Amino acid sequence: MVQMHPLSQKSMPRHLMGDAVSNLSVKELKQLENRLERGITRIRSKKHELLLAEIEYLQKREIELENESVCLRTKIAEVERLQQADMVTGAELNAIQALAASRNFFAPHLLEGGAAYPHNDKKILHLG
């Protein structure tokens, strides 16, 4: 009759969880410890690999967002320039405001004429 080795595949999950180890010899405990250490090493390696991939993704995303920010800032400057020249039609301004609002880049009221940059039409002349 063949006797089951204490570190057989059947009992391994219990041993890995720390259960039923009281019947194991020092040699068997050392084998179990080595398997656990190799498993932990593989887990840490995979975790490290996933973290590096996440960092790489986030760095690419950061560049994309910075580029989008530059593009939006350029559009804002163009809109402001056109507004000053009174060249933006109401429909164009509404389209630009909708784009800006959908991107949550800046509050739409900042593009409304006069709201962000109040000015006085009255000129004051001080004499003497």
Side-chain angles (χ1 to χ4, degrees), residues 7-46:
L7 289 180
S8 69
Q9 292 299 326
K10 184 177 181 182
S11 63
M12 187 52 66
R14 290 179 53 208
H15 293 317
L16 292 176
M17 296 302 295
D19 296 334
V21 293
S22 59
N23 297 337
L24 299 178
S25 69
V26 172
K27 181 180 179 183
E28 292 165 335
L29 287 170
K30 186 63 178 166
Q31 289 173 346
L32 178 59
E33 182 180 28
N34 289 336
R35 282 188 80 168
L36 289 169
E37 286 175 354
R38 284 192 307 269
I40 288 171
T41 300
R42 284 191 303 271
I43 290 168
R44 286 182 178 150
S45 176
K46 183 64 176 178

Side-chain angles (χ1 to χ4, degrees), residues 10 19 26 56 65 103 109 114:
K10 184 177 181 182
D19 296 334
V26 172
E56 182 180 344
L65 291 172
R103 301 293 180 138
H109 73 277

Side-chain angles (χ1 to χ4, degrees), residues 45-92:
S45 176
K46 183 64 176 178
K47 178 180 136 186
H48 183 73
E49 178 184 323
L50 292 173
L51 288 173
L52 288 178
E54 181 72 11
I55 289 169
E56 182 180 344
Y57 166 78
L58 290 173
Q59 287 173 336
K60 288 179 182 178
R61 184 72 177 127
E62 177 185 22
I63 291 169
E64 290 171 0
L65 291 172
E66 286 173 352
N67 290 339
E68 186 175 347
S69 177
V70 168
C71 179
L72 290 172
R73 289 180 191 276
T74 302
K75 288 179 182 179
I76 290 169
E78 180 66 13
V79 167
E80 288 175 347
R81 186 185 68 75
L82 292 173
Q83 275 184 329
Q84 288 175 354
D86 288 328
M87 296 175 65
V88 175
T89 67
E92 291 171 336

